[in-house]
Amino acid sequence: MTEFIRKRAANAKDDILSGVTVALALVPEAVAFAFVAGVDPLVGLYAAFMVGLVTSVFGGRPGMISGATGALAVVMVSLVAEGNTMGADGENLGLYYLFITVIVMGIIQMLAGILKLGKFVRLIPHPVMMGFVNGLAIVIFLSQLGMFKDASGNWFQASQLWVMVALVALTMGIMYGLPKLTKKLPEALIGILVVSAIVIFGKLDVPTVGSFIRDGGGEGLRGGLPQFQLDMFNKVPLNWQTFTFIAPYALILAAIGLIESLMTLNLIDELTETRGNANRECMAQGGANIITGFFGGMGGCAMIGQSLINIKSGGRTRLSGIVAALLLLMFILFAAPYIEQIPIAALVGVMFMVVIGTFAWSSFRILNKIPLSDVIVLVAVSSLTVIFDLAIAVIAGVIISALVFSWENAKRIRARKRMKEDGTKVYEIWGPLFFGSIIAFNEKFDVKNDPDKVEVDFIESRVSDHSAIEAIFNLVHKYEEAGKQIKLTHLSEDCKVLLYKSSPKFREVIVEAIDDPRYYLAEDPEAFTKGLAEYKL
């Protein structure tokens, strides 16, 4: 009992310390991602607090950190910008449209959890994952270039531009070099503190968080508890036009949030050699975004970088995420005036380091070592992420990979031919029989010149779908029309049941044997259940 308490205390200590580290690193990233989305930094901080707290308590992966992310921010920027143009009398309503969209996004994510769709993340191939992180890194990099421009959209003048570049480089240099000296200090926070001190005490004329907010028409940060946003229902008309406007954004954000969260969950599963609950995480992410939308946050999902920081710092339980979220709230309540003094250059430097850490540089090294089809998928997903968004890119990548897989398997169908002593011609089918291999399967048979007796042996083949069933049916029909006898051997039980249902004549064609294969199609769940029971017996 004493040993158990000692271990729990040690774990609690690691979780608390890692939570503090994560909270310190969350501040600059939450503010920076809010800038990417084009909203008040406080909106990003609220999202990081609320999403982080709810998912830490109710999520399916202890130790995973959630908050405002760049993947969602790059989609939100167009939503906010377009929403600002829809207000009457020039009133900017983009933020209110964002809150309602985040609520709808959360509802979609909860439905995904209820329908148990989380397991489908396992269908995402590795080239798609590499393309996703590469495209995301490029998008975040491009979004930061706007920080080198003034309110009119023009690049800074030479002197101001060089000062900005120098401060960005200094931030990046600190974040790169500090971990080589010590890993006990959060490099992002130290970089921001050093650069902020240089700007404040050196009285440098460079953009800060406060000036950025004021240039955008804001009044500065006002730290306080999140407020229930009743105004959004008064400002935004709840009609069909509003629904058609926010629905595509909500679907895209929901898909991006779940994909990034579940991919992060899988990564942490591998690192900790434990198993998270994908469907529970979908529910938690959805609930967190619903709450965040009602209380003025920009929405969020799992954060790959912060989750890795937490795991490497010793965080393993829900306590680490809870500590990080609550400490972040303390920063919001009591440190808002100090956040306004942070120079934009420091945040850009942090984001550039996020880009460098996110990009899968190994993809260049393996381009000549992987199949051409995987290279095409990787490049396509990266490009589509930049051109469109993450959801479209990942879906397209999965479709391309599935088509390539089907094409490669379609070429594997073979038919070995031999003659029995009684003159029967035997076709021994090798390879999977499914919709992609049907044409090649049909080309193996010579109905016109075959003898009167033909046997088709499926012992080395698997009948995979309804298209394969239909192909067998048509083959039998062709031989019968030619007045020839055909027998089918070594078909699985479920396949035989389906053929029997399609036509009673198959009882005369199919040969029952004790060594028939026992795999089961999804089309016949009863047969699958029966077969599973027989297997266990």
Side-chain angles (χ1 to χ4, degrees):
M1 185 65 180
T2 304
E3 183 65 22
F4 174 78
I5 295 174
R6 187 183 296 112
K7 287 183 178 181
R8 295 289 292 183
N11 289 339
K13 178 184 175 182
D14 290 340
D15 285 325
I16 292 172
L17 291 177
S18 63
V20 172
T21 303
V22 169
L24 293 172
L26 270 174
V27 173
E29 288 201 14
V31 174
F33 287 135
F35 279 131
V36 173
V39 297
D40 192 306
L42 207 55
V43 176
L45 291 169
Y46 282 154
F49 158 62
M50 288 183 283
V51 174
L53 182 61
V54 174
T55 55
S56 294
V57 175
F58 301 105
R61 174 66 265 179
M64 189 164 75
I65 304 298
S66 296
T69 63
L72 297 178
V74 295
V75 177
M76 292 174 181
V77 63
S78 57
L79 165 64
V80 174
E82 191 173 350
N84 283 336
T85 65
M86 300 176 69
D89 302 324
E91 186 179 11
N92 292 336
L93 299 181
L95 194 59
Y96 297 111
Y97 277 102
L98 173 61
F99 295 155
I100 294 177
T101 304
V102 169
I103 294 170
V104 177
M105 161 193 172
I107 294 172
I108 295 172
Q109 291 178 327
M110 290 199 74
L111 288 174
I114 293 171
L115 297 175
K116 301 187 184 302
L117 301 181
K119 59 186 176 183
F120 288 105
V121 72
R122 291 175 292 181
L123 298 177
I124 299 178
H126 189 65
V128 175
M129 296 180 67
M130 294 188 73
F132 141 70
V133 296
N134 289 351
L136 176 60
I138 294 170
V139 169
I140 295 175
F141 172 77
L142 294 176
S143 69
Q144 293 303 295
L145 296 181
M147 298 298 176
F148 293 87
K149 299 179 181 180
D150 57 26
S152 302
N154 300 316
W155 293 96
F156 291 142
Q157 297 299 317
S159 58
Q160 191 177 15
L161 181 62
W162 283 116
V163 171
M164 182 86 167
V165 170
L167 294 175
V168 169
L170 177 60
T171 305
M172 296 175 67
I174 293 172
M175 291 184 65
Y176 176 78
L178 186 60
K180 297 182 181 298
L181 301 176
T182 177
K183 295 184 178 180
K184 295 182 179 180
L185 298 174
E187 62 271 16
L189 183 70
I190 298 300
I192 287 174
L193 290 176
V194 170
V195 173
S196 297
I198 292 174
V199 170
I200 293 170
F201 294 109
K203 298 182 179 179
L204 299 180
D205 184 19
V206 295
T208 63
V209 171
S211 66
F212 185 89
I213 296 172
R214 287 185 287 273
D215 289 342
E219 299 179 0
L221 281 177
R222 295 180 178 177
L225 291 171
Q227 300 294 318
F228 191 74
Q229 299 294 320
L230 284 175
D231 283 351
M232 63 181 168
F233 298 109
N234 298 324
K235 299 281 188 179
V236 176
L238 300 180
N239 52 30
W240 179 252
Q241 181 183 0
T242 299
F243 176 77
T244 54
F245 170 62
I246 68 172
Y249 285 107
L251 284 170
I252 292 170
L253 290 170
I256 293 173
L258 289 183
I259 289 170
E260 185 163 359
S261 297
L262 296 179
M263 289 169 71
T264 305
L265 183 146
N266 282 349
L267 177 61
I268 297 177
D269 281 354
E270 294 177 6
L271 292 175
T272 60
E273 296 182 352
T274 57
R275 187 176 180 85
N277 188 322
N279 293 316
R280 181 174 176 178
E281 186 63 33
C282 291
M283 294 286 290
Q285 291 288 339
N289 281 307
I290 291 173
I291 295 172
T292 303
F294 276 115
F295 284 90
M298 61 182 282
C301 64
M303 307 176 75
I304 295 177
Q306 299 299 332
S307 298
L308 292 179
I309 290 174
N310 188 45
I311 295 300
K312 292 178 180 178
S313 300
R316 289 295 185 274
T317 70
R318 300 184 186 278
L319 180 61
S320 57
I322 294 171
V323 169
L326 293 178
L327 191 57
L328 185 59
L329 177 62
M330 296 299 103
F331 293 157
I332 295 172
L333 294 177
F334 305 112
Y338 302 103
I339 294 176
E340 281 194 14
Q341 300 180 48
I342 297 175
I344 296 294
L347 299 179
V348 174
V350 171
M351 295 310 299
F352 280 169
M353 291 303 292
V354 170
V355 168
I356 294 172
T358 301
F359 196 91
W361 300 100
S362 61
S363 56
F364 292 116
R365 188 173 62 252
I366 65 173
L367 283 179
N368 61 343
K369 300 178 182 179
I370 60 178
L372 178 61
S373 59
D374 287 342
V375 174
I376 293 173
V377 169
L378 195 157
V379 174
V381 173
S382 300
S383 303
L384 290 173
T385 302
V386 176
I387 298 171
F388 298 105
D389 57 66
L390 174 62
I392 292 176
V394 170
I395 292 171
V398 172
I399 291 174
I400 296 172
S401 299
L403 291 175
V404 170
F405 175 82
S406 298
W407 176 257
E408 292 298 323
N409 277 276
K411 296 188 294 184
R412 294 178 183 174
I413 194 76
R414 296 287 187 273
R416 186 169 63 184
K417 305 163 189 176
R418 61 184 175 86
M419 297 294 294
K420 286 185 175 181
E421 294 180 359
D422 62 356
T424 300
K425 185 175 183 179
V426 179
Y427 288 89
E428 294 182 353
I429 307 301
W430 296 65
L433 184 58
F434 67 110
F435 69 92
S437 59
I438 296 303
I439 295 177
F441 172 76
N442 291 331
E443 291 174 350
K444 306 299 180 186
F445 299 93
D446 186 1
V447 178
K448 183 178 179 180
N449 298 316
D450 277 347
D452 292 337
K453 293 183 178 181
V454 174
E455 178 183 324
V456 184
D457 188 350
F458 290 92
I459 188 65
E460 295 294 340
S461 177
R462 174 160 185 161
V463 181
S464 301
D465 59 9
H466 178 71
S467 297
I469 299 290
E470 188 67 20
I472 296 173
F473 179 86
N474 292 334
L475 180 67
V476 170
H477 184 65
K478 287 180 182 179
Y479 274 104
E480 289 183 344
E481 277 192 335
K484 298 178 181 180
Q485 183 183 31
I486 180 173
K487 295 291 183 181
L488 308 177
T489 61
H490 295 121
L491 286 166
S492 65
E493 289 297 325
D494 59 305
C495 184
K496 286 186 282 188
V497 169
L498 292 175
L499 288 172
Y500 292 152
K501 288 181 179 179
S502 64
S503 176
K505 68 181 180 182
F506 276 107
R507 296 192 178 277
E508 302 174 1
V509 174
I510 296 174
V511 177
E512 299 280 355
I514 194 170
D515 59 343
D516 284 342
R518 292 180 177 270
Y519 55 82
Y520 300 92
L521 296 180
E523 294 181 43
D524 193 352
E526 292 183 2
F528 176 83
T529 304
K530 177 183 176 184
L532 183 63
E534 292 176 355
Y535 173 79
K536 289 182 176 180
L537 289 174

